[in-house]
């Protein structure tokens, strides 16, 4: 039986780096203090994979429908969104604008020749342009797409993924020696059901090899050839072991993985109902012990505890936000949890934010809506501090965001007809300003710490409008009174 079959039987048939971003002329680093100001149980703003929040019947395959979406990733360069549409054996790519609109159609598909095909390996043999049960996707800082493909027991790399055409071949493969084999292996170069994939700021690749209850680390992964050996292994003492366990050095059914800005590795150890944290992940040795645990009070416990802000039940995926918040898809509790300042939490620490449920002590699926979740899975953090999440059982992607805000001084004084002032914004992708009678100009610097330079002022009093604009066109504005003595 495949891992997906095992998981289905056990779980009631249930189943990211600083980069340069360019938007409308504004070039900025995604700042470390980018905050996701989300509120408990707030509704989603938009949905992909379905036409609206209540229709969950059709599951495709089409360009606008999904069947058991699992992994999700955002290209930090282009803002395009990639979704692993597992049961349709494909990865969908949405443009930066359409990804923020409910019911939008994808612009490209990998693993299939078109949007209306969904057979594993295109109904034939495994190849460089086919997929079978893609579980997780990740985009690195250079725009490479990495796909953890469970049933073909491999990880595929697609270079320049945001510009590739539908049905393109992958550029490299790990876990297999070539694109036409899918052998089940427990070796330094082989895999048995990879489900999670992520890179760190140095280009190291972390692969959750779920069938072998381990995490493989490939240093400088983009430079490796097909079928290259992994450099390190976690969860096992060696590359030829695959046993499961519940300790600081072992894993049982690990699934998703992510890294944070501090070089920490976070592993969703699903069947142990916990999240493990490994500090200095790129330098630790084979079989190293985890540094901390969430979801359990210690490293030797694994029970699905009574639901609370500190308990987890089949957490499959994790995502690290720039501000230090760790997001967890708490699958069988039907909710997404946010752990603020996660790296400083003690073992068994409590979550601070819950989405998909009204509070921390309620679970269970409800009728589909903008506030309900049925199978909380993967999470991706966008450059506005919002979230894209996969709602597995309802075959859709939900997007959450906070209120767009902009801060600017109420009054400044110009010198020689020129004024410079600074401000901040939240949940926006663009900050722009305009003087009376002039066009909008993009602010400079980071979105959370922007700068405006207004020149050519001739009036004694000038009212400069500042706007923060989100990708879904929501806006916030302020007027700065500029005195020109």
């Amino acid at each position: 039986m495949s891992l997906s079959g095992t998981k289905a039987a056990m779980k009631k048939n249930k189943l990211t780096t600083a980069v340069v971003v360019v938007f409308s002329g504004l070039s900025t680093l995604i700042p470390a203090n980018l905050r996701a100001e989300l509120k408990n149980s707030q509704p989603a703003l938009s949905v992909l994979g379905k036409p609206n929040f209540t229709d969950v019947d059709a599951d495709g395959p089409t360009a606008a429908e999904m069947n058991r979406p699992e992994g999700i990733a955002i290209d930090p360069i282009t803002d395009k969104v990639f979704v692993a549409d597992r049961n349709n054996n494909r990865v969908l790519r949405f443009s930066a604008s359409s990804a923020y609109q409910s019911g939008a159609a994808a612009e490209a598909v990998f693993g299939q020749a078109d949007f209306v095909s969904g057979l594993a390996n295109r109904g034939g043999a495994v190849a460089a342009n086919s997929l079978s049960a893609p579980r997780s996707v990740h985009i690195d800082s250079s725009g490479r797409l990495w796909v953890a493909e469970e049933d073909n027991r491999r990880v595929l790399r697609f270079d320049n993924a945001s510009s590739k055409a539908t049905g393109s071949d992958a550029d490299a493969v790990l876990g297999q020696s070539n694109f036409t084999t899918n052998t089940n292996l427990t070796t330094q170069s082989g895999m048995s059901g990879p489900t999670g994939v992520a890179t760190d700021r140095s280009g190291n690749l972390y692969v959750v090899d779920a069938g072998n209850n381990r995490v493989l680390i490939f240093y400088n992964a983009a430079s490796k050839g097909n079928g290259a050996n992994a450099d390190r292994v976690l969860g096992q003492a060696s590359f030829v072991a695959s046993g499961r366990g519940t300790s600081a050095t072992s894993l049982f059914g690990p699934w998703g993985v992510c890294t944070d800005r501090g070089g920490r590795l976070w592993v969703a150890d699903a069947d142990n109902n916990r999240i493990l944290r490994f500090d200095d992940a790129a330098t630790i040795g084979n079989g190293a012990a985890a540094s901390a645990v969430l979801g359990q009070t210690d490293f030797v416990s694994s029970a699905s505890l009574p639901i609370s802000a500190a308990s987890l039940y089949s957490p499959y995926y994790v995502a690290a936000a720039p501000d230090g918040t760790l997001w967890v898809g708490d699958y069988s509790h039907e909710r997404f949890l946010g752990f603020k300042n996660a790296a400083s939490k003690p073992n068994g620490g409590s979550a601070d934010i819950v989405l998909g449920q009204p509070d921390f002590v309620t679970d269970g699926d409800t009728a589909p809506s903008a506030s309900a979740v049925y199978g909380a899975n993967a999470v991706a953090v966008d450059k506005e501090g919002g979230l894209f999440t996969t709602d597995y059982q309802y075959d859709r992607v939900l997007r959450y965001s906070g209120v767009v805000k902009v801060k600017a001084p109420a009054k400044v004084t110009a010198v020689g007809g020129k004024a410079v002032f600074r401000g901040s914004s939240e949940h926006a992708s663009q900050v722009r300003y305009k003087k009376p009678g002039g066009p909008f100009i993009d602010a400079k610097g980071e979105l959370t710490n922007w700068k405006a330079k207004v020149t050519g002022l001739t009036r004694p009093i000038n009212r400069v409008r500042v706007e923060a604009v989100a990708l879904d066109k929501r806006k916030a504005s302020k007027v700065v009174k500029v005195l020109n003595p």
Side-chain angles (χ1 to χ4, degrees):
M1 179 181 287
S2 70
L3 284 178
S4 59
T6 302
K7 291 290 184 184
M10 294 177 64
K11 305 301 180 187
K12 302 177 294 184
N13 295 319
K14 296 180 179 179
L15 107 192
T16 348
T17 41
V19 295
V20 174
V21 176
V22 179
F23 181 85
S24 299
L26 175 64
S27 178
T28 181
L29 286 174
I30 296 179
N33 62 348
L34 178 70
R35 296 182 297 168
E37 291 297 326
L38 304 181
K39 306 299 182 183
N40 285 344
S41 71
Q42 75 173 64
L45 283 180
S46 60
V47 59
L48 295 174
K50 295 292 174 281
N52 53 57
F53 290 111
T54 58
D55 183 351
V56 295
D57 292 330
D59 54 15
T62 70
E65 297 171 347
M66 303 174 189
N67 189 346
R68 299 301 189 258
E70 193 152 343
I72 190 163
I74 302 171
D75 189 330
I77 302 171
T78 66
D79 300 319
K80 294 186 178 184
V81 174
F82 294 74
V83 180
D85 187 15
R86 183 201 177 278
N87 280 11
N88 283 324
N89 299 290
R90 63 185 186 174
V91 172
L92 296 174
R93 187 182 77 212
F94 294 84
S95 70
S97 57
S98 65
Y100 288 77
Q101 307 301 318
S102 288
E107 67 172 15
V109 59
F110 301 139
Q112 303 292 346
D114 53 50
F115 289 111
V116 295
S117 302
L119 294 177
N121 292 322
R122 299 194 181 190
V126 58
N129 63 2
S130 73
L131 293 170
S132 181
R135 288 287 190 180
S136 184
V137 288
H138 174 78
I139 306 285
D140 67 22
S141 60
S142 296
R144 305 181 191 92
L145 169 67
W146 300 87
V147 182
E149 193 185 354
E150 180 190 359
D151 286 358
N152 280 331
R153 304 174 181 92
R154 64 184 185 177
V155 170
L156 296 179
R157 191 190 83 219
F158 295 83
D159 297 339
N160 302 310
S162 281
S163 60
K164 278 191 181 296
T166 285
S168 292
D169 287 355
D171 294 283
V173 60
L174 296 173
Q176 302 292 327
S177 60
N178 56 58
F179 289 109
T180 58
T181 59
N182 58 4
T183 309
N184 186 29
L185 297 169
T186 307
T187 63
Q188 190 170 357
S189 61
M191 298 177 188
S192 176
T195 56
V197 63
T199 60
D200 63 18
R201 301 174 78 174
S202 299
N204 303 314
L205 179 74
Y206 301 82
V207 178
V208 178
D209 186 14
N212 283 321
N213 295 293
R214 65 183 184 177
V215 176
L216 297 174
I217 306 175
F218 296 84
Y219 295 152
N220 193 18
S223 68
K224 291 188 180 293
N226 291 344
N229 284 339
D231 295 283
R232 291 286 187 272
V233 62
L234 298 175
Q236 304 293 340
S238 71
F239 290 104
V240 294
S242 62
R244 65 196 191 192
T246 306
S247 69
T249 58
S250 60
L251 300 167
F252 179 21
W255 209 256
V257 65
C258 73
T259 63
D260 66 18
R261 289 171 179 254
R264 306 172 191 91
L265 176 71
W266 300 87
V267 180
D269 193 16
D271 287 342
N272 275 326
N273 299 300
R274 65 184 186 176
I275 305 296
L276 294 180
R277 191 190 85 218
F278 294 84
D279 295 341
D280 301 315
T283 61
I284 56 181
N286 289 343
S291 307
V293 60
L294 296 174
Q296 303 291 335
T297 57
D298 55 49
F299 291 109
V300 294
S301 302
S302 63
S304 55
L305 302 171
I307 186 169
S308 70
S311 68
L312 297 171
Y313 186 15
S314 308
Y316 283 118
Y317 286 100
V318 285
D323 68 347
T325 299
L326 185 74
W327 291 97
V328 178
D330 192 16
Y331 188 91
S332 292
H333 277 152
E334 322 289 1
R335 62 185 185 175
F336 294 99
L337 296 177
F339 294 81
K340 293 184 177 181
N341 301 311
S344 65
K345 293 219 180 252
N347 289 346
S350 295
D352 302 281
I353 307 169
V354 60
L355 301 172
Q357 298 292 343
D359 51 50
F360 289 106
V361 294
T362 304
D363 67 356
D365 59 284
T366 58
S369 70
S371 301
V373 172
Y374 186 21
N377 233 11
V379 179
V381 182
D382 70 12
K383 72 178 183 183
E384 297 177 351
L387 305 181
F388 281 82
T389 67
T390 52
D391 188 5
Y392 189 79
Q393 293 288 339
Y394 279 149
D395 302 313
R396 62 186 186 175
V397 170
L398 297 175
R399 180 177 67 89
Y400 301 88
S401 183
V403 176
V404 178
K405 299 179 182 179
V406 64
K407 293 182 179 180
K411 182 173 66 175
V412 297
T413 301
V415 177
K418 180 177 69 175
V420 177
F421 56 90
R422 298 178 181 271
S424 62
S425 70
E426 295 180 20
H427 296 286
S429 290
Q430 180 188 28
V431 176
R432 60 189 187 179
Y433 59 94
K434 62 178 296 185
K435 64 182 181 182
F440 273 110
I441 300 172
D442 287 326
K444 304 296 184 181
E446 296 181 348
L447 291 163
T448 54
N449 185 22
W450 52 263
K451 181 174 73 173
K453 182 180 180 181
V454 187
T455 60
L457 298 174
T458 58
R459 303 176 183 178
I461 299 177
N462 303 267
R463 288 176 172 81
V464 176
R465 175 172 293 277
V466 180
E467 287 187 347
V469 186
L471 280 167
D472 62 4
K473 308 306 181 184
R474 292 176 299 144
K475 296 178 183 178
S477 64
K478 295 285 186 182
V479 173
V480 179
K481 184 178 182 181
V482 181
L483 305 178
N484 187 28

